[in-house]
Amino acid sequence: MKKNILITALTAFVVTAATLFAFVQYFSPDGNKVRIEHVDATPAQATLFTKNNEGDFKVLDFSGVAEKVIEGVVHIRSTVAREVATYQQNPREPYGFFDDDIFERFFGPQFKAPDQRDLQMPPRVGSGSGVIFDSNGYIVTNNHVVKGATDIEVTLNDNRTFKADVIGLDPTTDLAVLKIDAENLTTLGFENSDNVKVGQWVLAIGNPFNLNSTVTAGIVSAKARNINILREQYAVESFIQTDAAINPGNSGGALVDLAGGLVGINTAIASPTGAYSGYGFAVPANIVKKVVEDLIEYGNVQRGCLGVMIRNVNSALAEEMELKVNSGVLIDSIMGNSAAGIAGIEEGDVVVAVDGRSIQLSNELQERIARKRPGDEVILTVNRKGEEKDVAVLVGGLSAIDSTPVLAQLGISIEELDPDELEKNNIEYGVRISRIVPGKLSQQTGIREGFIITHIDKDPIRKKADLVLQLEDKKGGILIEGIYPGRRGTQYYAFGLEG
């Protein structure tokens, strides 16, 4: 016991002596100052790690990726010329605070007020970003960045500036291809955007608020997002959502993975203020690749079409339709002579996979079909009354809009129904809207393709000629009555014509 007490006392004495020595060494005699020493080359540990494609951990550092890709992103300045507005002076209208001839009376005829004046509107100048995908000067950007531009100027990261020509535009995906007269440019390669995973790191590179070559980092927040921002008929919205900061000016810029591969083109933000609020959206690289190839080769996009009306499946719809699955894409109705119908797809089928990849949302199906050209084959896996079946479909093309003046004004194409279709839908007559593009109906109503028109202003519509006759020379409010195949009840849409 005495031995233990002696050891404890000795330990306490040593600790006290060391403390007093440290106090004397580090404090000056007045006791108010502390000596601070700077030590160079102190080792520091990185606190963030990520996994590479092989599953190995590595230090999370964006500098190498940023340096690799920043040369492939450009700044775009587009100028839209404004039309000259003509102002017609009414002879009886006062000119300013006085009659229009008061200046002539006081200062002579040279000061006579003009009867009309041309008002030159200043040009509208916008900016955005673009991505070089071919070393010979081909650049992809957003359609809304260059739409209607009379002058397009591209500035590279090394500050070289070029005039750009528009190769092609595709409003349905909000993409455009430009060409500048340059060679041996740094390019970004397209990655397979199907392999992008929610939660993986991505970088956004662009020119927000004209701040050139800005890099921000974030993760993929979601895939296959539809935010209803594109108003074009057959618009394809299946965006990659990211929380990397994207602001006005980032449009058309790159979204890349940590290997520097292009996984998307930044296109939109969701924000109550118009500035970054945490949500950015990019067109997937697989869609971008197909669109730019078509625009360069054909001048337009060769868009595939199944010829079906679709809906997302959820638990409520599954119960109502007595479906055997709670997710997927329901084939609501099938157009006459459509690619899907010819291949054997049936109404009530639920598409659960495309070319072996599972899908859950209608915009996923639209994206997969949008990658196809007319004549390509696609394998649709459908759940039909509880059993899965693979159906090979030769994708069709989109037909042109009806050229009949009144139907072109409405923005619709019409097809007549055969007796079997009328009986199937439990109606005596009607015509079907086979296609809708921007026009009176899309602007003023929520009518959708596949709608069967049975009456116009209570008058029966038995064939296309009846519809045209009813609408020609019509002026004012018009009431459309009809049904959607497979849905209960009559639907009504009201719109107006100017005659």
Side-chain angles (χ1 to χ4, degrees):
M1 175 66 72
K2 291 181 178 181
K3 183 178 180 180
N4 290 339
I5 294 174
L6 181 62
I7 293 173
T8 303
L10 182 61
T11 302
F13 175 77
V14 171
V15 170
T16 302
T19 303
L20 290 173
F21 177 78
F23 182 85
V24 172
Q25 290 294 318
Y26 285 91
F27 285 85
S28 61
D30 60 9
N32 295 323
K33 296 181 180 179
V34 178
R35 186 195 314 177
I36 299 175
E37 295 184 357
H38 295 277
V39 181
D40 294 331
T42 301
Q45 286 187 321
T47 57
L48 292 178
F49 294 84
T50 188
K51 283 185 177 180
N52 58 21
N53 293 333
E54 288 72 36
D56 300 324
F57 283 98
K58 65 176 185 178
V59 176
L60 184 60
D61 181 10
F62 304 126
S63 60
V65 183
E67 184 178 356
K68 177 181 177 181
V69 303
I70 204 165
E71 295 291 335
V73 180
V74 303
H75 178 254
I76 296 175
R77 184 175 183 271
S78 61
T79 302
V80 179
R82 303 286 188 92
E83 294 182 358
V84 175
T86 300
Y87 171 74
Q88 181 71 43
Q89 176 72 23
N90 187 335
R92 297 182 178 273
E93 181 181 328
Y95 189 72
F97 292 103
F98 310 100
D99 292 336
D100 61 357
D101 61 348
I102 191 170
F103 293 101
E104 180 185 11
R105 293 201 306 268
F106 278 93
F107 303 107
Q110 68 271 29
F111 288 94
K112 179 178 174 60
D115 291 334
Q116 69 177 33
R117 293 162 299 182
D118 289 338
L119 303 178
Q120 180 66 50
M121 303 295 289
R124 177 170 58 85
V125 179
S127 68
S129 306
V131 176
I132 305 170
F133 65 90
D134 183 278
S135 61
N136 291 320
Y138 285 98
I139 296 167
V140 61
T141 185
N142 284 139
N143 173 68
H144 74 261
V145 171
V146 297
K147 181 181 178 181
T150 52
D151 182 76
I152 302 172
E153 187 177 89
V154 171
T155 302
L156 306 185
N157 189 58
D158 61 10
N159 289 327
R160 285 185 293 164
T161 300
F162 300 85
K163 294 295 184 181
D165 296 319
V166 176
I167 300 299
L169 304 171
D170 182 36
T172 62
T173 55
D174 197 17
L175 293 173
V177 174
L178 308 179
K179 177 71 166 63
I180 62 175
D181 187 13
E183 297 178 347
N184 302 318
L185 300 177
T186 299
T187 64
L188 299 189
F190 294 104
E191 289 292 319
N192 183 353
S193 53
D194 286 344
N195 296 333
V196 172
K197 297 179 180 179
V198 173
Q200 80 172 63
W201 283 100
V202 286
L203 301 184
I205 302 97
N207 305 277
F209 304 117
N210 285 316
L211 300 172
N212 292 356
S213 305
T214 296
V215 180
T216 57
I219 63 168
V220 173
S221 307
K223 295 178 64 178
R225 283 291 197 220
N226 185 332
I227 58 176
N228 296 314
I229 196 172
L230 303 180
R231 300 304 180 186
E232 297 292 328
Q233 177 61 19
Y234 294 109
V236 179
E237 289 195 19
S238 187
F239 295 120
I240 297 172
Q241 180 180 323
T242 175
D243 65 358
I246 295 174
N247 279 294
N250 272 113
S251 292
L255 188 71
V256 303
D257 59 20
L258 293 191
L262 185 69
V263 298
I265 294 296
N266 297 319
T267 297
I269 59 176
S271 168
T273 63
Y276 174 71
S277 293
Y279 305 98
F281 302 91
V283 180
N286 287 355
I287 286 286
V288 179
K289 185 174 184 291
K290 194 265 183 181
V291 168
V292 299
E293 288 174 350
D294 280 3
L295 291 178
I296 291 173
E297 184 171 354
Y298 306 107
N300 55 56
V301 177
Q302 305 294 297
R303 182 71 23 89
C305 180
L306 293 177
V308 295
M309 298 291 292
I310 57 178
R311 276 195 283 173
N312 289 330
V313 175
N314 53 35
S315 57
L317 183 62
E319 182 178 356
E320 177 188 346
M321 303 287 292
E322 298 182 352
L323 304 175
K324 303 300 182 182
V325 289
N326 290 315
S327 65
V329 182
L330 174 69
I331 303 298
D332 212 2
S333 61
I334 300 176
M335 308 298 181
N337 297 319
S338 69
I342 293 172
I345 297 294
E346 299 179 3
E347 294 180 3
D349 285 349
V350 178
V351 182
V352 295
V354 178
D355 288 335
R357 284 184 173 268
S358 63
I359 63 170
Q360 294 185 322
L361 302 172
S362 59
N363 42 304
E364 290 182 280
L365 176 59
Q366 290 175 321
E367 178 194 345
R368 300 289 171 83
I369 300 304
R371 301 179 195 173
K372 304 291 184 179
R373 296 185 177 92
D376 288 350
E377 183 180 81
V378 61
I379 305 298
L380 300 183
T381 302
V382 300
N383 186 294
R384 183 177 296 168
K385 299 179 181 178
E387 295 185 6
E388 287 195 358
K389 179 180 180 180
D390 289 338
V391 181
V393 181
L394 289 179
V395 177
L398 297 178
S399 58
I401 198 66
D402 200 303
S403 59
T404 305
V406 66
L407 297 184
Q409 184 183 12
L410 295 180
I412 59 174
S413 286
I414 294 296
E415 61 183 13
E416 298 181 355
L417 304 179
D418 58 39
D420 291 340
E421 290 178 293
L422 293 173
E423 182 179 358
K424 182 178 179 180
N425 289 289
N426 197 29
I427 54 177
E428 296 181 10
Y429 44 78
V431 296
R432 179 164 47 211
I433 298 177
S434 60
R435 188 183 178 200
I436 302 176
V437 299
K440 290 290 184 182
L441 280 188
S442 65
Q443 294 168 359
Q444 300 182 28
T445 75
I447 202 166
R448 295 168 52 193
E449 288 180 5
F451 183 76
I452 297 176
I453 300 174
T454 58
H455 296 83
I456 296 287
D457 289 340
K458 298 300 181 180
D459 292 324
I461 303 299
R462 291 179 167 82
K463 51 188 178 180
K464 176 181 174 180
D466 294 340
L467 179 65
V468 174
L469 186 63
Q470 279 287 333
L471 296 177
E472 280 182 338
D473 301 324
K474 199 86 169 181
K475 186 176 181 180
I478 298 170
L479 182 66
I480 293 180
E481 179 181 339
I483 65 167
Y484 284 106
R487 296 191 185 181
R488 300 173 183 172
T490 302
Q491 305 290 324
Y492 300 87
Y493 293 100
F495 69 101
L497 280 178
E498 298 169 358

